[in-house]
């Protein structure tokens, strides 16, 4: 033992795995290898040597393992085999070691319960889930059991779908678009893609929105720990009937915000025409002769009364595809306005109207 020197001066790392011993066979010979192997077992049992297990990588194919054995029988060493096949020396050593012990390159039988579903059943599950995205795991399990006669739980179906990258999610909500709506949106994009910035700078965008006195209709989130569901800072207070709200009509352009009009009661075509004459026309005139007015296809906007008024006033109206609320940039302005209002404390509708008008006028052009 004294001839080998202290343990810290061994010519191999003290925390290496058992595959290092295979590499030493060709360097030191069998006698020294047996001594090192016995010493390593002693160090492991006494706790002086930590035995690290390497993480398992991708399994080699049978053809590749047979090539390793064939090259080894031809007299090639571990390093030359590893360099030829572009593998690590430890992988080559372990493959040859398994062949010397078992006489075969096949893996030993694994422990654990085998998969209940065959590859064919898994492909059937994938086809069912992709064919009907709303099909539940229990329904898929019943379908698989009816075809193959093998009982399968809904949890097994979920695990199988997770393995192929399919997860149960809440579907996103969007307007129902028919083929005519899609064609109209495409035509709108083709007509407007050649417009320059000067055209868009002369567009007056308009829309209506509801502003609540007590919180918005959107989803709110809070950061909380388990057990804090009903802490004052983690709850969203509610009141009966929402606490009241106001309806507003507004417009904007690249030059900034335009007029803002509060809507009393339910708006009809006649009330909308009054808003156009009182609030829209002054904002449109500020943009000059090339100004273009935009509003959506709400029945009040496309009524005969409204159409006749716009024609009489010689207002150039932008053609707008139906079911396209996401195309109007004023939706972002409503979001900015409502987030600012959340920072203001108001207790009644009159204060809300004053704060809305103040924040609307204060919105910067940028």
């Amino acid at each position: 033992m004294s001839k080998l020197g202290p343990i810290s001066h061994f010519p191999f790392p003290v925390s290496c795995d058992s595959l290092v011993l295979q590499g030493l066979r060709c360097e030191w010979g069998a006698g020294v290898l047996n001594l090192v192997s016995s010493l390593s077992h002693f160090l492991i049992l006494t706790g002086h040597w930590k035995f690290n297990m390497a993480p398992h990588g991708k399994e080699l194919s049978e053809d590749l393992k047979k090539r390793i054995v064939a090259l080894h029988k031809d007299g090639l060493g571990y390093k030359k085999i590893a360099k030829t096949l572009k593998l690590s020396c430890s992988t080559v050593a372990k493959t040859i070691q398994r062949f010397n012990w078992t006489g075969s390159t096949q893996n030993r039988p694994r422990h654990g319960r085998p998969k209940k579903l065959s590859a064919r059943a898994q492909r059937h599950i994938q086809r069912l889930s992709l064919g009907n995205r709303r099909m539940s795991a229990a329904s898929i399990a019943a379908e698989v059991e009816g075809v193959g006669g093998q009982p399968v739980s809904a949890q097994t179906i979920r695990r199988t779908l997770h393995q192929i990258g399919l997860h149960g999610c809440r579907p996103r909500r969007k307007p129902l678009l028919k083929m005519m709506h899609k064609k109209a949106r495409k035509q709108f994009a083709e007509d407007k893609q050649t417009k320059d910035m000067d055209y868009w700078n002369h567009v007056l965008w308009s829309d209506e929105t509801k502003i609540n006195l007590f919180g918005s209709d959107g989803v709110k989130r809070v950061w909380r720990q388990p057990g804090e569901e009903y802490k004052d800072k983690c709850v969203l207070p509610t009141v009966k009937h929402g606490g009241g709200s106001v309806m507003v009509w507004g417009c904007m352009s690249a030059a900034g915000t335009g007029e803002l009009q509060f809507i009393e009661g339910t708006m009809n075509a006649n009330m909308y025409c009054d808003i156009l004459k009182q609030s829209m026309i002054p904002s449109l005139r500020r943009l000059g002769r090339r100004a273009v007015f935009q509003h959506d296809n709400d029945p009040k906007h496309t009524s005969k009364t409204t159409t006749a008024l716009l024609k009489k006033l010689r207002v150039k109206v932008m053609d707008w595809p139906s079911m396209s609320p996401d195309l109007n940039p004023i939706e972002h302005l409503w979001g900015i306005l409502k987030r600012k209002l959340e920072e203001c404390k108001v207790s009644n509708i009159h204060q809300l109207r004053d704060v809305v008008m103040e924040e609307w006028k204060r919105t910067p052009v940028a």
Side-chain angles (χ1 to χ4, degrees):
M1 294 292 290
S2 60
K3 293 181 180 180
L4 291 175
I7 296 175
S8 60
H9 296 296
F10 268 35
F12 56 85
V14 177
S15 61
C16 64
D17 58 18
S18 61
L19 293 177
V20 175
L21 301 179
Q22 279 296 114
L24 295 176
R25 185 184 298 276
C26 58
E27 299 290 340
W28 292 357
V32 179
L33 176 62
N34 293 334
L35 174 62
V36 173
S37 179
S38 301
L39 180 59
S40 65
H41 289 320
F42 171 76
L43 293 174
I44 292 171
L45 292 175
T46 56
H48 292 88
W49 190 3
K50 294 183 179 180
F51 195 78
N52 293 338
M53 295 296 292
H56 291 283
K58 187 176 181 181
E59 190 172 291
L60 299 181
S61 64
E62 284 297 321
D63 294 338
L64 185 56
K65 287 187 283 188
K66 290 179 180 179
R67 289 181 62 189
I68 293 174
V69 174
L71 292 174
H72 182 65
K73 288 182 178 180
D74 292 341
L76 271 68
Y78 293 165
K79 290 185 178 180
K80 289 186 177 180
I81 296 175
K83 186 176 182 180
T84 303
L85 301 179
K86 296 181 180 180
L87 299 172
S88 63
C89 288
S90 60
T91 302
V92 173
K94 187 163 69 171
T95 303
I96 297 174
Q97 181 186 34
R98 182 184 295 114
F99 179 78
N100 292 335
W101 287 351
T102 64
S104 173
T105 58
Q106 294 184 352
N107 294 328
R108 289 171 292 181
R110 290 181 172 86
H111 298 287
R113 180 180 175 182
K115 287 187 176 182
K116 192 171 186 179
L117 296 173
S118 62
R120 182 179 181 182
Q122 292 179 7
R123 292 193 298 269
H124 182 53
I125 292 172
Q126 184 177 6
R127 286 195 299 269
L128 288 175
S129 59
L130 294 178
N132 184 2
R133 299 294 183 122
R134 291 181 173 84
M135 197 173 185
S136 65
S139 302
I140 296 177
E143 182 77 16
V144 172
E145 183 177 353
V147 174
Q150 184 180 17
V152 182
S153 66
Q155 186 60 32
T156 301
I157 299 298
R158 295 188 191 97
R159 283 196 297 266
T160 303
L161 293 176
H162 292 170
Q163 291 173 0
I164 61 178
L166 294 175
H167 301 272
C169 304
R170 182 175 297 179
R172 301 290 177 87
R173 296 182 178 273
K174 71 175 189 65
L176 177 62
L177 296 179
K178 299 180 181 179
M179 186 54 65
M180 57 180 293
H181 299 139
K182 296 178 181 181
K183 290 181 178 179
R185 288 181 65 134
K186 183 180 179 182
Q187 186 64 41
F188 176 84
E190 291 175 350
D191 295 341
K192 298 296 185 292
Q193 66 178 348
T194 57
K195 301 294 184 182
D196 55 9
M197 285 303 301
D198 185 62
Y199 170 83
W200 297 110
N201 289 338
H202 288 82
V203 176
L204 184 70
W205 309 91
S206 69
D207 194 22
E208 300 91 14
T209 189
K210 184 181 76 168
I211 301 177
N212 293 329
L213 173 65
F214 205 75
S216 67
D217 295 331
V219 177
K220 298 293 181 182
R221 296 185 180 274
V222 295
W223 297 106
R224 72 187 185 198
Q225 296 176 344
E228 294 184 338
E229 290 83 356
Y230 293 101
K231 271 195 172 184
D232 291 342
K233 295 182 179 180
C234 299
V235 299
L236 185 65
T238 60
V239 295
K240 291 183 178 180
H241 313 297
S245 61
V246 294
M247 285 290 298
V248 296
W249 175 94
C251 59
M252 74 165 201
S253 67
T257 56
E259 299 293 330
L260 186 72
Q261 182 76 35
F262 290 96
I263 301 172
E264 303 291 345
T266 304
M267 185 170 65
N268 53 25
N270 294 328
M271 186 183 298
Y272 183 65
C273 289
D274 293 337
I275 292 175
L276 294 180
K277 289 183 288 187
Q278 298 172 11
S279 301
M280 187 274 290
I281 293 299
S283 301
L284 193 68
R285 287 175 178 171
R286 299 191 193 105
L287 299 179
R289 295 182 178 180
R290 298 186 60 186
V292 179
F293 177 59
Q294 179 276 335
H295 61 178
D296 56 29
N297 295 322
D298 187 277
K300 299 180 289 294
H301 303 169
T302 57
S303 64
K304 294 181 179 181
T305 305
T306 304
T307 305
L309 175 64
L310 294 173
K311 187 176 180 180
K312 179 181 178 181
L313 297 175
R314 296 182 179 180
V315 175
K316 189 185 299 182
V317 181
M318 179 188 297
D319 294 331
W320 194 252
S322 301
M323 307 293 289
S324 302
D326 57 312
L327 295 179
N328 196 342
I330 200 173
E331 297 292 345
H332 299 288
L333 182 58
W334 294 137
I336 294 172
L337 177 64
K338 292 177 181 179
R339 284 192 291 271
K340 288 182 178 179
L341 294 176
E342 291 178 358
E343 303 173 0
C344 305
K345 295 183 179 180
V346 293
S347 57
N348 54 59
I349 295 297
H350 297 290
Q351 292 182 3
L352 179 62
R353 293 166 67 102
D354 295 338
V355 174
V356 168
M357 186 61 69
E358 182 181 351
E359 291 294 340
W360 176 263
K361 294 180 179 179
R362 194 185 297 175
T363 304
V365 177

